[in-house]
């Protein structure tokens, strides 16, 4: 499964890019995706996404994450990311990281 990512504001500054595609063998959870991104980009990335470094890690209140144009809440972190209804296409999910003060 390919997950297409769009980063905005300070998150783009941390990642050094505004777009990225991450490939997974199986459908990941959003928490799994975020853990992979934190592994790639370090603790500064994690600090902008999560409120703390210990479980259960809740999302920062000032960072908004959207999956397929729908805002994600803490209770959805451990749900599998959605896949497209059309199985003939490569499944892709757009995840937007939008710090609240940045706008679009």
């Amino acid at each position: 499964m390919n997950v297409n990512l769009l980063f905005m504001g300070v998150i783009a500054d941390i990642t050094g890019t505004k777009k990225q595609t991450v490939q997974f063998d199986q459908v990941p959870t959003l928490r799994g995706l975020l853990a992979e991104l934190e592994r790639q980009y370090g603790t500064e990335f994690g600090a902008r996404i999560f409120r703390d470094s210990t479980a259960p890690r809740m999302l920062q209140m000032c960072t908004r994450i959207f999956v397929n144009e729908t805002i994600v809440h803490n209770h959805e972190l451990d749900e599998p990311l959605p896949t497209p209804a059309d199985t003939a296409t490569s499944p892709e999910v757009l995840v937007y990281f939008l710090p609240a003060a940045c706008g679009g």
Side-chain angles (χ1 to χ4, degrees), residues 71-97:
I71 194 164
V72 173
H73 301 283
N74 285 306
H75 67 275
E76 299 166 302
L77 285 172
D78 295 312
E79 295 177 9
L81 290 174
T83 57
D86 180 3
T87 57
T89 63
S90 175
E92 295 181 327
V93 176
L94 295 179
V95 180
Y96 299 83
F97 295 93

Side-chain angles (χ1 to χ4, degrees), residues 1-76:
M1 172 178 193
N2 291 324
V3 180
N4 291 329
L5 305 166
L6 296 177
F7 302 112
M8 296 181 185
V10 69
I11 303 295
D13 293 339
I14 294 169
T15 63
T17 186
K18 291 188 176 195
K19 294 181 180 182
Q20 178 181 353
T21 299
V22 179
Q23 186 173 19
F24 292 91
D25 292 334
Q26 298 179 358
V27 177
T29 63
L30 181 57
R31 189 179 303 279
L33 170 64
L34 295 172
E36 173 58 24
L37 293 172
E38 185 174 18
R39 187 190 66 73
Q40 287 180 27
Y41 297 114
T43 56
E44 185 178 4
F45 177 89
R48 293 293 182 158
I49 300 300
F50 295 108
R51 292 183 205 174
D52 52 41
S53 59
T54 58
R57 296 181 82 187
M58 307 299 267
L59 295 172
Q60 283 283 6
M61 299 208 42
C62 62
T63 298
R64 299 292 179 252
I65 300 175
F66 296 85
V67 176
N68 293 340
E69 300 179 8
T70 302
I71 194 164
V72 173
H73 301 283
N74 285 306
H75 67 275
E76 299 166 302

